[in-house]
Amino acid sequence: MSKYLVDLRVALFQLNPQVGQLEQNIERTWNLVHRLKSILDQDSSKYPQLVVFPEFALTGYSFHSKEQIKPHVSITRNSQSFKFAQSVSKLFRCYTVIGYPEESMDANKHGRQVESVLYNSALVTDPSGDLTFNYRKSFLYDTEYEWGCQENPRSFQKFTMVFEKCAIEKNGTVAAAADIELDASIGICMDLNPYKFEAPFNDFEFSSFCLDNNVDLMICPMAWLHSKSITKHDHDLDTINRKLESIRRSLDTLQLPIHGSQGVFQIDINKELCTQRRISREDPLLSDSQYDQLETPDMENVNYWILRFLPFLNLNIRKSLWYRQFIQLNESLVGRERSYMGMSKEKSWKFEGRNSVLLLCNRCGIEDDGKTIFAGSSGIYKFNGKTARLDNDYETNIDSLNESVDLLGNLGKGLEGVIMRDIEFEVSK
Ligand code: GLN
């Protein structure tokens, strides 16, 4: 095993696609891609090596029946999303990840007849535009059940991506940059939550999978909701009407149509700009749960996403917990090969001293006639594996205040746009 210092340039595109407007969605996205290209064209060595688009990036997300989604699903290689990803990959000579509705012709149980099975998927094209991986969402959200989406029978998966000339061997004799093979995993939106919102919160299924499989790059295309959104859990009419009214008021104030902002692009390719660590705004009128200040991230969600990666966060409490769980309680968890809340059989914090990069690429905007609001706030995070300052090992924060996660930058909650960063991190190969 050698240690490598990797320098990777990544771009996340945040979009507001609308169901039934494939052509406009694609056209606007191409404009944005070309906008980025023309800015970078002064020096093409500055092109991103990995580009990520949201869940259902070109088709829109809110489908409510099988009949409605049917015209928008395709076999991976026949999909518009594949062609699109292929073009982006060729344009920048980069890997591209994009979410899309997949129809698969699977053999039925007896292996004879083929039947159409629908998935919420993300495909990956390599720098030559070839399809290299296809992942299907494992944990489904309310909306997917409405159109008969199936769970990924293989659950979470790991795959490799090879990046050219971007790794320097630490303590090596050669200073030239080498190619590096990174382990990646895709989690689509609800994959970050407890299974069906029913599994124990502390299982942290996706992040534990990534920790246990030494994943270097965690790539998450998402259509995550803003807290103002109306969901199927809002039952009584009063609540729904009150929420609808408040959304309309926000949109009036912002002078935006019912589907939110489109075509006003936030382009953040300034690598100096980190996101400020913050729990919540003190002033309740400016609280994060408002749909306003569309160019700033929704910290309520940013903090929640970080919490869902708790196995990657340095935590003081782990030492005593580990002792109790693994040693004192008659080795209650020793039988398990997998880590639990970041603790493993061997170490109180399995991730200590390692690095891993998290890319959360969320959509923005509004669907369902003003009912479904997405949270945007796409961001780039690096878990740095550092224990707290030498003088004390006191770290209790389970959100953006935890210093073992570097917040390399976020887009705002409500504007389309692109964020690009150079990420420096260490891997052992
Ligand atoms: N729980 C997520 C949310 O509230 C899931 C959405 C999704 O899977 N698209 O937004």
Side-chain angles (χ1 to χ4, degrees):
M1 284 265 232
S2 305
K3 273 200 170 168
Y4 293 88
L5 190 62
V6 182
D7 191 347
L8 193 68
R9 185 165 297 139
V10 168
L12 314 182
F13 284 83
Q14 181 162 294
L15 310 168
N16 175 10
Q18 296 291 310
V19 164
Q21 297 184 8
L22 186 69
E23 266 165 43
Q24 294 98 308
N25 298 337
I26 293 181
E27 193 186 314
R28 232 177 28 263
T29 310
W30 260 126
N31 281 343
L32 181 54
V33 170
H34 281 289
R35 190 82 75 85
L36 176 66
K37 183 173 181 292
S38 64
I39 296 171
L40 302 178
D41 261 345
Q42 282 87 354
D43 179 0
S44 66
S45 70
K46 291 218 162 74
Y47 283 174
Q49 293 152 292
L50 167 60
V51 169
V52 187
F53 293 93
E55 178 177 16
F56 282 19
L58 303 179
T59 57
Y61 176 72
S62 290
F63 293 99
H64 297 291
S65 68
K66 199 164 204 153
E67 294 66 49
Q68 192 194 4
I69 203 169
K70 253 321 192 67
H72 303 272
V73 300
S74 351
I75 309 274
T76 309
R77 283 179 193 280
N78 300 340
S79 68
Q80 295 265 16
S81 302
F82 171 56
K83 286 182 197 118
F84 184 88
Q86 195 165 44
S87 312
V88 173
S89 277
K90 287 180 179 167
L91 190 70
F92 292 129
R93 278 210 56 81
C94 66
Y95 276 98
T96 305
V97 179
I98 190 167
Y100 73 105
E102 181 192 357
E103 175 172 48
S104 164
M105 289 299 177
D106 292 356
N108 73 3
K109 284 192 198 81
H110 313 291
R112 265 179 256 126
Q113 255 166 346
V114 286
E115 54 186 2
S116 147
V117 183
L118 305 184
Y119 296 104
N120 177 332
S121 304
L123 64 85
V124 184
T125 53
D126 69 12
S128 351
D130 293 330
L131 182 70
T132 53
F133 189 66
N134 185 54
Y135 169 74
R136 294 163 176 167
K137 191 174 186 172
S138 302
F139 294 2
L140 305 183
Y141 181 61
D142 304 345
T143 324
E144 274 101 41
Y145 291 106
E146 296 177 30
W147 50 265
C149 181
Q150 296 298 303
E151 291 177 356
N152 183 351
R154 306 175 59 177
S155 195
F156 306 133
Q157 289 161 270
K158 179 165 100 161
F159 64 104
T160 55
M161 293 173 123
V162 182
F163 293 97
E164 283 172 13
K165 300 195 181 66
C166 62
I168 305 274
E169 189 176 353
K170 280 187 108 186
N171 313 319
T173 44
V174 197
D179 298 352
I180 188 95
E181 199 170 287
L182 296 183
D183 290 304
S185 187
I186 296 179
I188 305 178
C189 208
M190 184 71 190
D191 280 335
L192 307 193
N193 268 321
Y195 181 55
K196 292 188 172 176
F197 294 120
E198 288 166 3
F201 193 88
N202 290 348
D203 282 358
F204 297 103
E205 298 98 319
F206 178 70
S207 48
S208 297
F209 169 88
C210 291
L211 177 60
D212 292 341
N213 288 279
N214 298 321
V215 170
D216 307 305
L217 281 179
M218 306 182 275
I219 306 171
C220 302
M222 314 204 291
W224 198 289
L225 308 185
H226 185 269
S227 62
K228 278 268 140 147
S229 200
I230 294 166
T231 70
K232 77 163 207 201
H233 306 285
D234 295 310
H235 288 302
D236 69 294
L237 262 174
D238 271 2
T239 315
I240 297 178
N241 286 334
R242 194 167 29 79
K243 279 184 142 182
L244 263 180
E245 190 41 43
S246 130
I247 295 167
R248 288 218 183 97
R249 245 181 292 123
S250 301
L251 291 176
D252 279 351
T253 316
L254 296 162
Q255 297 185 309
L256 283 176
I258 198 77
H259 54 262
S261 173
Q262 286 181 322
V264 176
F265 299 137
Q266 183 175 24
I267 296 181
D268 177 358
I269 53 176
N270 172 0
K271 64 178 169 192
E272 307 303 321
L273 260 181
C274 289
T275 301
Q276 210 193 324
R277 300 179 188 279
R278 180 162 75 67
I279 311 184
S280 204
R281 287 188 203 136
E282 269 112 60
D283 183 345
L285 288 173
L286 291 172
S287 127
D288 280 291
S289 58
Q290 295 303 320
Y291 194 67
D292 61 4
Q293 302 193 26
L294 300 191
E295 67 295 340
T296 67
D298 165 13
M299 288 306 285
E300 226 174 66
N301 268 322
V302 168
N303 284 317
Y304 179 76
W305 296 327
I306 291 173
L307 168 62
R308 291 304 298 164
F309 286 84
L310 180 134
F312 289 89
L313 294 177
N314 171 48
L315 284 176
N316 180 47
I317 186 190
R318 232 180 239 123
K319 284 213 172 80
S320 54
L321 213 69
W322 180 74
Y323 182 76
R324 265 190 283 144
Q325 296 273 23
F326 283 84
I327 313 290
Q328 212 179 43
L329 284 183
N330 203 13
E331 311 196 334
S332 61
L333 292 167
V334 163
R336 53 189 286 153
E337 285 311 308
R338 292 173 40 226
S339 62
Y340 180 66
M341 292 174 75
M343 299 175 283
S344 72
K345 255 192 283 189
E346 294 77 22
K347 273 178 101 175
S348 62
W349 187 29
K350 192 175 181 182
F351 186 67
E352 184 176 352
R354 287 174 35 196
N355 286 175
S356 187
V357 170
L358 170 64
L359 307 172
L360 295 181
C361 183
N362 197 21
R363 64 159 291 165
C364 59
I366 302 170
E367 287 195 302
D368 298 319
D369 297 324
K371 294 199 199 78
T372 308
I373 310 190
F374 300 94
S377 314
S378 298
I380 299 175
Y381 307 83
K382 171 181 159 183
F383 294 102
N384 60 38
K386 287 185 192 149
T387 49
R389 280 144 299 206
L390 283 176
D391 51 330
N392 78 35
D393 193 14
Y394 189 75
E395 178 66 271
T396 54
N397 296 305
I398 47 173
D399 45 43
S400 64
L401 298 186
N402 190 303
E403 291 185 9
S404 65
V405 57
D406 299 333
L407 316 181
L408 303 182
N410 291 80
L411 289 172
K413 62 179 79 66
L415 300 179
E416 295 184 306
V418 56
I419 179 167
M420 191 171 94
R421 290 289 183 273
D422 285 341
I423 315 165
E424 277 188 14
F425 57 104
E426 260 182 34
V427 296
S428 294
K429 299 283 161 189

